[in-house]
Each structure stands twice: as C-alpha cells, then as structure tokens.
Amino acid sequence: MARQLDEQIVGRFPVGQRLRVLDVGMGQGTQALRLARAGHQVTGLEQDATMVAVARESLAGEPEGIRERMRIIEGDGRDTGVHFLPGSFDVVLCHGVLMYVEEPDPLLAGLARMLAPGGLLSLLVRNGDALAIRPGLSGDWSGALAAFDTTAYRNRLGLDVRADRLTDLTSTLAGIGAPLHAWYGVRVFTDTAADGAQAPADVETLLAVEEKAGRTDPYRGVAALLHLCGVRG
C-alpha cells in the first residue's frame, strides 16, 4: 500500500514539495513516520491512548528534524473540525478505520473538508465484495455462503466490524467532492497467511506479485482490502 500511496503522491504533487499530511486513525504511526522521514509535515490523529503512546515512543527515537515535522494528537477522527480548519492539508490518510465506524459518511465528509483543492484522500477499507474469499479458501463453507449477502464480518481480533463495497464508496466520494481517482487491491494472495507468519526468503518477489495483482483486473476486485484515492475538486 505504501508503494501505491507514493505513486499517487508523485503523480499529483511537484517533486520535492513538502506536503501537509493528516493521518486519521494513525495507529502506531507507521505511515505517518514514513512520510515524515520523506520530508513532509505530518499530523497524526489517534483516539487509542495505547497506540498514541507507542507512536510517541517511536517518534522520540527519531532525529530532531523528523520530530519537528510530526505532531501527534489524541482524538477521534470524527472530530477533525474541532482540531483543524477546512483545507488545511494536501493529503489525508484514513487507513483501516472505516470498518470500525457504523456510519462512515459523516467521517468521510469531514475528511474531505480538511483537504485543500486538488488534495488527495487515501482510504484503506475491507472489501465488502470479497468477504467470502477468506472463509471459502479455508474450507468454511457455511461462513463463505453467509458472506455473500452481508458487509458484516468478524475480524482476526474477534471484533464484529463492517466492510465497504467499491460502488458505494465511489458514490460517497463523488458526493463529498473528492471523487475516486484511482483504486487498488491490497492483500490479494496473502490474506490467508497466518498472523505472525515468517516472511519468505523471496519477500521482494512476493511484494512485486501483490503490487501487480493490486492494480490488475480481475485480481484487485477480490483483494481482502481496497485502497481508494479520491481527489478534492
């Protein structure tokens, strides 16, 4: 996904421009730190105090220049209007968050308002059109059958969450003024790997295969996750 995001940034903004980035639901700060290291001004917003502590600890170990380019705020992603003015960011990330939000449209509208004209909105969501793939490949036939007609599922943490369909999000993005510009699949072939599984020796080849599949039909349509990129008009 990082490669996909970098492709969109390079294709949309002048080389060397220091972008204003907002990472909503940043978790432990992996993407936020990566972009800060690349020279961008990054704000991370996260409501989980444990994740905030982990991100701050990671940031504390970075060189001073990177620490100065990144700030971390503990707060809810649905309250962006409380913390920031409209149009304050060139790039807004919201990765792995929508599945925990029962009504995502207000959140998405708030994220779009944070974008400057021409800004990039990057979403990572569970693919609601492919929920039967994981149980089907594992031989859970009743689970696969049930998954065809729902967007609800139980994740690997044991939480009951929700997925999004590409057609629905395409319509939503158009309605909030950040129409879909590009989309990719993420975890096409590797979604059934066991948690904590050791990376293979030829991990670069694995990544190349996933990257290729993530931009190629019909493979991307059955990926576990979808990476959608909208552009503020």
Side-chain angles (χ1 to χ4, degrees):
M1 188 196 66
R3 298 183 186 187
Q4 298 164 355
L5 178 60
D6 288 347
E7 177 181 80
Q8 291 300 313
I9 289 175
V10 169
R12 176 146 300 277
F13 301 101
V15 175
Q17 179 178 343
R18 178 174 290 186
L19 302 174
R20 301 164 298 166
V21 179
L22 173 63
D23 189 353
V24 173
M26 70 169 183
Q28 60 187 8
T30 302
Q31 287 298 322
L33 270 172
R34 188 181 71 84
L35 291 169
R37 291 175 187 137
H40 304 301
Q41 196 74 35
V42 182
T43 300
L45 182 64
E46 172 59 53
Q47 68 173 349
D48 187 294
T50 300
M51 289 291 98
V52 168
V54 171
R56 285 178 172 157
E57 183 177 357
S58 297
L59 182 60
E62 295 289 328
E64 182 179 358
I66 294 174
R67 295 199 306 271
E68 291 176 347
R69 287 197 296 272
M70 182 171 167
R71 63 171 173 157
I72 297 171
I73 298 174
E74 186 174 340
D76 195 311
R78 290 167 290 194
D79 296 332
T80 50
V82 174
H83 300 286
F84 317 109
L85 293 174
S88 295
F89 298 95
D90 304 300
V91 178
V92 173
L93 314 180
C94 186
H95 297 163
V97 174
L98 291 193
M99 56 274 291
Y100 299 103
V101 180
E102 187 173 347
E103 296 291 340
D105 287 6
L107 168 63
L108 291 172
L111 300 184
R113 284 193 293 271
M114 295 299 104
L115 285 170
L120 178 70
L121 175 60
S122 174
L123 305 174
L124 184 70
V125 304
R126 188 75 163 90
N127 184 3
D129 293 318
L131 288 181
I133 296 290
R134 184 188 293 172
L137 291 177
S138 65
D140 177 8
W141 306 120
S142 60
L145 189 61
F148 283 109
D149 300 315
T150 184
T151 55
Y153 70 102
R154 178 163 292 182
N155 67 13
R156 287 174 171 174
L157 299 176
L159 301 175
D160 292 320
V161 288
R162 48 173 297 281
D164 289 281
R165 299 189 188 277
L166 177 63
T167 52
D168 293 338
L169 280 179
T170 299
S171 177
T172 298
L173 290 173
I176 62 176
L180 184 66
H181 174 72
W183 69 277
Y184 308 85
V186 176
R187 291 202 335 229
V188 177
F189 299 115
T190 57
D191 185 54
T192 56
D195 292 338
Q198 186 173 358
D202 57 345
V203 65
E204 285 302 318
T205 304
L206 181 154
L207 291 174
V209 170
E210 281 284 349
E211 185 177 9
K212 180 72 172 179
R215 63 178 71 247
T216 303
D217 291 322
Y219 305 102
R220 63 178 180 166
V222 295
L225 303 168
L226 297 178
H227 180 198
L228 289 78
C229 298
V231 174
R232 181 71 170 171

